Amino acid sequence: MLVFLLRIIGTTSGLAILAVVLPYESMNTIHLWLGMGELPQAPIVGYLARTLSAFYALYGSLLWFLSFDTVRYRSVIRYVGYVTSGFGLILIGIDWVEGMPRYWKLAEGPIAIVYGILLLLSSKQAEE
């Protein structure tokens, strides 16, 4: 179960690599489709979208790496579980402060928290 979770979460996060090279017009189309209006054209917007996507892809590749030796990396997997849940809490705060759409607020942070908890529980279960 732990290997499965690491690879599913890793694959999902890794898909963000596609957004690193996504043309601005496509990003804008997605932004409009999500109901958030026109995507600002300031350089910082593209920079943040692309670097965050690259970071998610890096996170995904880390999870895949850890999945190949869950015994050896158990302490790292636990750490990742805790920080992923903590990151989810931070995302909830950011989403509310920044006025993200309701569906976003109810999904992004809570999903990260659940992922983190599942990693912790699966890591504990694999140990027994």
Side-chain angles (χ1 to χ4, degrees), residues 35-72:
M36 293 192 275
E38 193 79 23
L39 185 67
Q41 291 193 24
I44 192 69
V45 174
Y47 167 81
L48 290 174
R50 294 177 199 290
T51 56
L52 181 61
S53 296
F55 179 77
Y56 271 109
L58 179 138
Y59 174 77
S61 70
L62 170 65
L63 297 184
W64 263 90
F65 178 81
L66 296 174
S67 77
F68 289 105
D69 195 343
T70 58
V71 173
R72 180 177 182 188

Short mmCIF file of all heavy atoms in Angstrom, two decimals, residues 35-72:
data_model
loop_
_atom_site.label_atom_id
_atom_site.label_comp_id
_atom_site.label_asym_id
_atom_site.label_seq_id
_atom_site.Cartn_x
_atom_site.Cartn_y
_atom_site.Cartn_z
N GLY A 35 -12.69 29.62 -13.64
CA GLY A 35 -13.56 30.69 -13.15
C GLY A 35 -12.83 31.79 -12.40
O GLY A 35 -13.43 32.50 -11.60
N MET A 36 -11.53 31.96 -12.69
CA MET A 36 -10.75 32.97 -11.97
C MET A 36 -10.41 34.18 -12.84
O MET A 36 -9.54 34.96 -12.48
CB MET A 36 -9.49 32.33 -11.39
CG MET A 36 -9.82 31.32 -10.30
SD MET A 36 -8.40 30.79 -9.35
CE MET A 36 -7.75 29.48 -10.36
N GLY A 37 -11.08 34.30 -13.97
CA GLY A 37 -10.86 35.47 -14.82
C GLY A 37 -9.60 35.37 -15.66
O GLY A 37 -8.99 34.32 -15.79
N GLU A 38 -9.25 36.51 -16.23
CA GLU A 38 -8.07 36.62 -17.09
C GLU A 38 -6.81 36.47 -16.25
O GLU A 38 -6.69 37.06 -15.17
CB GLU A 38 -8.09 37.98 -17.78
CG GLU A 38 -7.12 38.15 -18.91
CD GLU A 38 -7.59 37.50 -20.20
OE1 GLU A 38 -8.82 37.30 -20.37
OE2 GLU A 38 -6.73 37.19 -21.03
N LEU A 39 -5.86 35.70 -16.72
CA LEU A 39 -4.58 35.52 -16.03
C LEU A 39 -3.73 36.77 -16.24
O LEU A 39 -3.50 37.18 -17.38
CB LEU A 39 -3.85 34.28 -16.57
CG LEU A 39 -2.56 33.88 -15.87
CD1 LEU A 39 -2.84 33.42 -14.45
CD2 LEU A 39 -1.88 32.75 -16.64
N PRO A 40 -3.27 37.40 -15.16
CA PRO A 40 -2.41 38.58 -15.32
C PRO A 40 -1.16 38.26 -16.15
O PRO A 40 -0.63 37.15 -16.06
CB PRO A 40 -2.03 38.95 -13.89
CG PRO A 40 -3.10 38.34 -13.04
CD PRO A 40 -3.51 37.09 -13.75
N GLN A 41 -0.71 39.22 -16.93
CA GLN A 41 0.42 38.99 -17.82
C GLN A 41 1.76 39.43 -17.23
O GLN A 41 2.76 39.45 -17.92
CB GLN A 41 0.18 39.66 -19.17
CG GLN A 41 -0.92 39.00 -19.94
CD GLN A 41 -0.94 39.46 -21.39
OE1 GLN A 41 0.04 39.91 -21.94
NE2 GLN A 41 -2.10 39.34 -22.01
N ALA A 42 1.79 39.77 -15.97
CA ALA A 42 3.05 40.20 -15.35
C ALA A 42 4.03 39.04 -15.30
O ALA A 42 3.64 37.88 -15.09
CB ALA A 42 2.77 40.71 -13.93
N PRO A 43 5.32 39.30 -15.51
CA PRO A 43 6.32 38.23 -15.51
C PRO A 43 6.31 37.37 -14.24
O PRO A 43 6.54 36.16 -14.32
CB PRO A 43 7.65 38.99 -15.64
CG PRO A 43 7.30 40.27 -16.31
CD PRO A 43 5.92 40.60 -15.82
N ILE A 44 5.99 37.94 -13.10
CA ILE A 44 6.00 37.18 -11.85
C ILE A 44 4.95 36.07 -11.88
O ILE A 44 5.14 35.01 -11.26
CB ILE A 44 5.82 38.11 -10.62
CG1 ILE A 44 6.13 37.36 -9.31
CG2 ILE A 44 4.41 38.69 -10.58
CD1 ILE A 44 7.56 37.01 -9.12
N VAL A 45 3.86 36.27 -12.59
CA VAL A 45 2.79 35.27 -12.66
C VAL A 45 3.30 34.01 -13.36
O VAL A 45 3.17 32.90 -12.85
CB VAL A 45 1.54 35.83 -13.36
CG1 VAL A 45 0.49 34.75 -13.56
CG2 VAL A 45 0.97 37.00 -12.57
N GLY A 46 3.90 34.18 -14.52
CA GLY A 46 4.46 33.04 -15.24
C GLY A 46 5.58 32.38 -14.47
O GLY A 46 5.68 31.16 -14.41
N TYR A 47 6.41 33.22 -13.85
CA TYR A 47 7.53 32.69 -13.06
C TYR A 47 7.01 31.82 -11.92
O TYR A 47 7.47 30.70 -11.71
CB TYR A 47 8.36 33.86 -12.50
CG TYR A 47 9.32 33.42 -11.43
CD1 TYR A 47 10.53 32.85 -11.77
CD2 TYR A 47 9.00 33.58 -10.08
CE1 TYR A 47 11.42 32.42 -10.78
CE2 TYR A 47 9.87 33.16 -9.10
CZ TYR A 47 11.08 32.58 -9.44
OH TYR A 47 11.93 32.16 -8.46
N LEU A 48 6.05 32.33 -11.16
CA LEU A 48 5.52 31.57 -10.02
C LEU A 48 4.80 30.30 -10.47
O LEU A 48 4.95 29.25 -9.84
CB LEU A 48 4.60 32.45 -9.17
CG LEU A 48 5.30 33.56 -8.39
CD1 LEU A 48 4.27 34.47 -7.72
CD2 LEU A 48 6.26 32.99 -7.36
N ALA A 49 4.01 30.40 -11.54
CA ALA A 49 3.30 29.21 -12.03
C ALA A 49 4.28 28.13 -12.47
O ALA A 49 4.12 26.95 -12.14
CB ALA A 49 2.38 29.60 -13.18
N ARG A 50 5.31 28.53 -13.18
CA ARG A 50 6.28 27.55 -13.70
C ARG A 50 7.19 26.99 -12.61
O ARG A 50 7.47 25.79 -12.58
CB ARG A 50 7.10 28.17 -14.82
CG ARG A 50 6.26 28.51 -16.04
CD ARG A 50 7.06 29.21 -17.13
NE ARG A 50 6.22 29.91 -18.07
CZ ARG A 50 5.42 29.34 -18.96
NH1 ARG A 50 5.34 28.03 -19.03
NH2 ARG A 50 4.68 30.06 -19.77
N THR A 51 7.64 27.84 -11.69
CA THR A 51 8.52 27.32 -10.64
C THR A 51 7.74 26.44 -9.66
O THR A 51 8.27 25.43 -9.19
CB THR A 51 9.25 28.45 -9.88
OG1 THR A 51 8.30 29.38 -9.36
CG2 THR A 51 10.25 29.17 -10.78
N LEU A 52 6.49 26.79 -9.37
CA LEU A 52 5.68 25.93 -8.50
C LEU A 52 5.43 24.59 -9.18
O LEU A 52 5.50 23.54 -8.54
CB LEU A 52 4.35 26.60 -8.14
CG LEU A 52 3.45 25.78 -7.22
CD1 LEU A 52 4.14 25.50 -5.88
CD2 LEU A 52 2.14 26.49 -7.01
N SER A 53 5.17 24.61 -10.46
CA SER A 53 4.98 23.36 -11.20
C SER A 53 6.25 22.52 -11.17
O SER A 53 6.19 21.30 -10.97
CB SER A 53 4.58 23.66 -12.65
OG SER A 53 3.34 24.32 -12.68
N ALA A 54 7.39 23.16 -11.34
CA ALA A 54 8.66 22.43 -11.28
C ALA A 54 8.88 21.84 -9.88
O ALA A 54 9.36 20.72 -9.73
CB ALA A 54 9.82 23.35 -11.66
N PHE A 55 8.49 22.60 -8.85
CA PHE A 55 8.64 22.12 -7.48
C PHE A 55 7.75 20.89 -7.24
O PHE A 55 8.18 19.91 -6.64
CB PHE A 55 8.32 23.22 -6.48
CG PHE A 55 8.44 22.75 -5.05
CD1 PHE A 55 9.68 22.60 -4.46
CD2 PHE A 55 7.31 22.41 -4.33
CE1 PHE A 55 9.80 22.14 -3.17
CE2 PHE A 55 7.42 21.94 -3.03
CZ PHE A 55 8.67 21.80 -2.44
N TYR A 56 6.51 20.93 -7.70
CA TYR A 56 5.62 19.78 -7.56
C TYR A 56 6.20 18.56 -8.30
O TYR A 56 6.10 17.43 -7.81
CB TYR A 56 4.22 20.09 -8.08
CG TYR A 56 3.31 20.68 -7.02
CD1 TYR A 56 2.93 22.01 -7.06
CD2 TYR A 56 2.83 19.89 -5.98
CE1 TYR A 56 2.09 22.55 -6.09
CE2 TYR A 56 2.00 20.42 -5.00
CZ TYR A 56 1.64 21.75 -5.07
OH TYR A 56 0.82 22.27 -4.10
N ALA A 57 6.77 18.78 -9.47
CA ALA A 57 7.38 17.67 -10.21
C ALA A 57 8.58 17.11 -9.44
O ALA A 57 8.76 15.89 -9.37
CB ALA A 57 7.81 18.14 -11.60
N LEU A 58 9.37 17.97 -8.82
CA LEU A 58 10.49 17.54 -8.00
C LEU A 58 9.98 16.69 -6.83
O LEU A 58 10.52 15.63 -6.53
CB LEU A 58 11.26 18.75 -7.50
CG LEU A 58 12.45 18.48 -6.60
CD1 LEU A 58 13.59 19.40 -7.00
CD2 LEU A 58 12.11 18.69 -5.15
N TYR A 59 8.93 17.15 -6.18
CA TYR A 59 8.30 16.41 -5.07
C TYR A 59 7.85 15.03 -5.55
O TYR A 59 8.07 14.02 -4.89
CB TYR A 59 7.13 17.25 -4.53
CG TYR A 59 6.30 16.57 -3.47
CD1 TYR A 59 6.74 16.48 -2.16
CD2 TYR A 59 5.04 16.07 -3.77
CE1 TYR A 59 5.96 15.88 -1.17
CE2 TYR A 59 4.25 15.48 -2.80
CZ TYR A 59 4.72 15.38 -1.51
OH TYR A 59 3.94 14.79 -0.54
N GLY A 60 7.21 15.00 -6.71
CA GLY A 60 6.75 13.74 -7.27
C GLY A 60 7.89 12.78 -7.54
O GLY A 60 7.79 11.58 -7.27
N SER A 61 8.99 13.30 -8.06
CA SER A 61 10.14 12.43 -8.33
C SER A 61 10.76 11.92 -7.03
O SER A 61 11.23 10.79 -6.96
CB SER A 61 11.18 13.15 -9.19
OG SER A 61 11.84 14.17 -8.46
N LEU A 62 10.74 12.72 -5.97
CA LEU A 62 11.22 12.28 -4.66
C LEU A 62 10.38 11.11 -4.16
O LEU A 62 10.91 10.11 -3.67
CB LEU A 62 11.18 13.42 -3.65
CG LEU A 62 11.44 13.02 -2.19
CD1 LEU A 62 12.87 12.50 -2.01
CD2 LEU A 62 11.16 14.19 -1.26
N LEU A 63 9.05 11.22 -4.29
CA LEU A 63 8.17 10.15 -3.83
C LEU A 63 8.43 8.86 -4.60
O LEU A 63 8.46 7.77 -4.02
CB LEU A 63 6.71 10.56 -3.92
CG LEU A 63 6.29 11.74 -3.04
CD1 LEU A 63 4.80 11.99 -3.16
CD2 LEU A 63 6.69 11.54 -1.59
N TRP A 64 8.64 8.96 -5.89
CA TRP A 64 8.98 7.78 -6.68
C TRP A 64 10.30 7.18 -6.20
O TRP A 64 10.41 5.97 -6.04
CB TRP A 64 9.06 8.12 -8.17
CG TRP A 64 7.79 7.79 -8.87
CD1 TRP A 64 6.71 8.61 -9.05
CD2 TRP A 64 7.44 6.54 -9.46
NE1 TRP A 64 5.73 7.93 -9.72
CE2 TRP A 64 6.14 6.67 -9.98
CE3 TRP A 64 8.11 5.32 -9.59
CZ2 TRP A 64 5.49 5.62 -10.63
CZ3 TRP A 64 7.45 4.28 -10.24
CH2 TRP A 64 6.17 4.43 -10.75
N PHE A 65 11.28 8.00 -5.97
CA PHE A 65 12.58 7.53 -5.47
C PHE A 65 12.41 6.78 -4.15
O PHE A 65 12.94 5.69 -3.97
CB PHE A 65 13.54 8.72 -5.31
CG PHE A 65 14.88 8.32 -4.77
CD1 PHE A 65 15.85 7.80 -5.61
CD2 PHE A 65 15.16 8.48 -3.42
CE1 PHE A 65 17.09 7.43 -5.10
CE2 PHE A 65 16.40 8.12 -2.90
CZ PHE A 65 17.37 7.59 -3.76
N LEU A 66 11.65 7.36 -3.23
CA LEU A 66 11.43 6.73 -1.93
C LEU A 66 10.69 5.41 -2.06
O LEU A 66 10.88 4.50 -1.24
CB LEU A 66 10.64 7.68 -1.01
CG LEU A 66 11.33 8.99 -0.63
CD1 LEU A 66 10.38 9.88 0.16
CD2 LEU A 66 12.62 8.73 0.14
N SER A 67 9.85 5.28 -3.06
CA SER A 67 9.03 4.07 -3.22
C SER A 67 9.85 2.83 -3.54
O SER A 67 9.37 1.72 -3.36
CB SER A 67 7.98 4.28 -4.32
OG SER A 67 8.54 4.17 -5.61
N PHE A 68 11.09 3.00 -3.98
CA PHE A 68 11.91 1.85 -4.35
C PHE A 68 12.58 1.17 -3.15
O PHE A 68 13.06 0.05 -3.28
CB PHE A 68 12.95 2.24 -5.40
CG PHE A 68 12.32 2.48 -6.74
CD1 PHE A 68 12.16 3.77 -7.21
CD2 PHE A 68 11.85 1.44 -7.52
CE1 PHE A 68 11.56 4.01 -8.45
CE2 PHE A 68 11.26 1.65 -8.75
CZ PHE A 68 11.11 2.95 -9.21
N ASP A 69 12.61 1.85 -2.00
CA ASP A 69 13.18 1.23 -0.80
C ASP A 69 12.52 1.85 0.43
O ASP A 69 13.12 2.66 1.15
CB ASP A 69 14.70 1.42 -0.75
CG ASP A 69 15.38 0.51 0.26
OD1 ASP A 69 14.68 -0.03 1.14
OD2 ASP A 69 16.61 0.34 0.18
N THR A 70 11.29 1.43 0.68
CA THR A 70 10.51 2.03 1.77
C THR A 70 11.06 1.68 3.15
O THR A 70 10.83 2.42 4.10
CB THR A 70 9.03 1.62 1.68
OG1 THR A 70 8.93 0.20 1.73
CG2 THR A 70 8.39 2.15 0.40
N VAL A 71 11.77 0.57 3.25
CA VAL A 71 12.37 0.21 4.55
C VAL A 71 13.51 1.17 4.86
O VAL A 71 13.58 1.77 5.93
CB VAL A 71 12.84 -1.26 4.55
CG1 VAL A 71 13.60 -1.58 5.83
CG2 VAL A 71 11.66 -2.20 4.37
N ARG A 72 14.40 1.32 3.92
CA ARG A 72 15.56 2.19 4.10
C ARG A 72 15.17 3.64 4.34
O ARG A 72 15.79 4.34 5.13
CB ARG A 72 16.46 2.09 2.88
CG ARG A 72 17.69 2.94 2.95
CD ARG A 72 18.55 2.72 1.73
NE ARG A 72 19.77 3.50 1.81
CZ ARG A 72 20.63 3.62 0.83
NH1 ARG A 72 20.42 2.99 -0.31
NH2 ARG A 72 21.70 4.35 0.97
#
